[in-house]
Every structure is written in structure tokens, then in C-alpha cells.
């Protein structure tokens, strides 16, 4: 049975103290997660140890990195290796967020390399894909996303692929307050699953969690998560407000 995941992406927001307080408020809500549910917090790198320790006592709550580098180790000042994340007990890492693709020129090949290193270090990548507005307007979003999947994922074998979480994030919906409709989300998620099924078979595709990201809020999470192929969300803005993210976690199927 695939996992239902509410993943927070704090991006470059909050001080250490604010982050600690936000996590505490969410934990204080004592939301009991079912066996197949997860709450994941992608926090800024300097807060990973704190977040990992704070969440450690709560079943199915995890800290996540927002990024890692595509090299094992070496003279790459300022970068973080997957092995370093593993050494502090981190089990998730966001890979290929559209902001990284856009501002840091991350290519599909580079993202493949990052995920390879994550998997070697027993870290589950949360792989982001999704089209810009121009592609959506041209109606070619399906082939655009298919290329992202093929170029970053298809060199993994079945066992590796099953450890990856996919986040479909239409770029035009990220931080814009413009959410994809449930029809648009479901249609793309079904397409992603079909692309995976063609390459890896139905059983593998059925077991992959596909999250939706793009202006998920407390008031639309339930509807989006109720779609057949939507297995939770990757949430930016609304994950910075304790009561909103609590509602989003409670909206998981
Ligand atoms: C994101 O950061 O991945 C995201 C989807 O942001 P927001 O929820 O603010 O649109």
C-alpha cells in the first residue's frame, strides 16, 4: 500500500527558534498518523539535527533535507553530501525543486546523480517535477513531465524506484495562490503513474507515492488529497503556519 505523505517545505524561511517552535506546536497537536501516513519536514540545513531530534519520538514524523549535492564528497565549498545527511540520521531529501532547477540550473541528469547518492545512503528522494505556465498553456504538459521522469528516473531499477517519492508541482501554482484544479492534478498524477507503469509495470507504479504541490492550503488539501492518484502534498507557504499544516496533515487519506 503506498504511503500518504504531508511534506512541509520551509525553503529559506524561519529562524532556528521559530522553526523549533513551529515543530513543537505541530507535535503538541498529537496527530496520530496511521501506519501508511507520514509527516515530513524539509527544513533548512542548519536545523536538520534539531528537527531530527525533535521529531524522533513521534511515529511516522521525519525531518528532510531540501537538497544535497551530486558528488560524493570533496572540494565543493558550501555543499552538502547525501552521506553527511545519513550520518545525522536524515531519511528524506527533496531533489529537483523547481526553484533549484531554475536558480541553480539543475539538470535532469544532475538530479539523477543526486538521487543515486541519496539511495546509496538510504535516503528517500522526494523528486519534484512539473511544467511552467508556457507549457501548460501550450497543452504539452504531459510530454514535458514525461521527459523529466525519463531523464531522471528511468536508469533506476525497480527496487530503487520504489524508494522514490514523486512530487508533481506545476510551476505556475507554486507560491502563486493559484492551485491546480482537482481534475488537473488527478489527470497529471494518473499520467505520471501510467508512464511509470509502462516502464516498470503496474505493481511498481501502484506503490509509488505521488504528491501534489502548488498552493496547497488548509482549505483545499482535503479535496486535492481525495483524488485517486494524489497521495498527499508538498507544501510551501502553508507549512509555515502551525494550525494550517496541522489541518493539512489531518487531510491525508
Ligand atoms: C513548494 O514549495 O514546493 C510549494 C508548493 O510552495 P507553495 O505551497 O507555497 O505553493
Amino acid at each position: 500500500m503506498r504511503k500518504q505523505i504531508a511534506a512541509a517545505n520551509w525553503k529559506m524561511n524561519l529562524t532556528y527558534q521559530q522553526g523549533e517552535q513551529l515543530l513543537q506546536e505541530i507535535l503538541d497537536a498529537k496527530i496520530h498518523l496511521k501506519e501508511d501516513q507520514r509527516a515530513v519536514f524539509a527544513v533548512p540545513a542548519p536545523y536538520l539535527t534539531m528537527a531530527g531530534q525533535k521529531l524522533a519520538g513521534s511515529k511516522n514524523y521525519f525531518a528532510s533535507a531540501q537538497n544535497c549535492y551530486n558528488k560524493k564528497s570533496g572540494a565543493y565549498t558550501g555543499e552538502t553530501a547525501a552521506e553527511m545527511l545519513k550520518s545525522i540520521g536524515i531519511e528524506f531529501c527533496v531533489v529537483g525543486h523547481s526553484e533549484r532547477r531554475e536558480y541553480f540550473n539543475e539538470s535532469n541528469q544532475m538530479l539523477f546523480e543526486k538521487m543515486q547518492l541519496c539511495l546509496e545512503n538510504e535516503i528517500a528522494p522526494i523528486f519534484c517535477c512539473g511544467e511552467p505556465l508556457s507549457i501548460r498553456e501550450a497543452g504539452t504538459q504531459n510530454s514535458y513531465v514525461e521527459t523529466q521522469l525519463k531523464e531522471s528516473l528511468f536508469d533506476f531499477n525497480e527496487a530503487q524506484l520504489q524508494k522514490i517519492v514523486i512530487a508533481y508541482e506545476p510551476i505556475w501554482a507554486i507560491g502563486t495562490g493559484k492551485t491546480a484544479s482537482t481534475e488537473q492534478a488527478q489527470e497529471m498524477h494518473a499520467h505520471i503513474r501510467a508512464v511509470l507503469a509502462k516502464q516498470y509495470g503496474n505493481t511498481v507504479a501502484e506503490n509509488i507515492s505521488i504528491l501534489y504541490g502548488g498552493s496547497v492550503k488548509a482549505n483545499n488539501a482535503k479535496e486535492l488529497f481525495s483524488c485517486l492518484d494524489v497521495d498527499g502534498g508538498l507544501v510551501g507557504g502553508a507549512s509555515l503556519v502551525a494550525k494550517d499544516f496541522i489541518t493539512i496533515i489531518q487531510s491525508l487519506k
Side-chain angles (χ1 to χ4, degrees), residues 9-11 97-99 128 169-170 173-177 212-217 234-239:
N9 178 15
W10 291 2
K11 312 192 188 192
H97 191 280
S98 62
E99 288 149 18
C128 303
E169 299 207 303
I174 299 178
T176 58
Y212 167 79
S215 300
V216 173
K217 305 287 175 206
L234 179 56
V235 186
S239 74

Side-chain angles (χ1 to χ4, degrees), residues 25-131:
E25 285 175 32
I26 292 167
L27 290 174
D28 285 347
K30 297 195 186 317
I31 308 165
H32 172 76
L33 295 177
K34 291 189 235 158
E35 202 51 46
D36 63 332
Q37 294 176 332
R38 302 280 180 274
V40 176
F41 297 82
V43 304
Y47 312 163
L48 279 168
T49 304
M50 174 275 287
Q53 285 171 356
K54 240 183 147 43
L55 298 168
S58 304
K59 192 166 167 259
N60 294 348
Y61 285 73
F62 296 90
S64 168
Q66 295 180 7
N67 180 38
C68 65
Y69 202 45
N70 63 324
K71 303 283 181 214
K72 202 169 153 36
S73 65
Y76 303 104
T77 304
E79 293 295 340
T80 305
E83 190 177 13
M84 295 172 182
L85 298 175
K86 185 188 182 185
S87 72
I88 57 165
I90 296 302
E91 295 177 54
F92 288 88
C93 180
V94 177
V95 174
H97 191 280
S98 62
E99 288 149 18
R100 302 251 10 133
R101 291 176 185 262
E102 185 181 347
Y103 307 141
F104 301 91
N105 295 319
E106 295 191 353
S107 65
N108 290 334
Q109 171 63 25
M110 201 185 279
L111 302 179
F112 165 70
E113 291 162 9
K114 287 183 182 211
M115 286 191 278
Q116 220 173 9
L117 288 163
C118 283
L119 294 171
E120 279 172 22
N121 286 287
E122 288 152 28
I123 294 167
I126 301 175
F127 171 69
C128 303
C129 57
E131 79 287 353

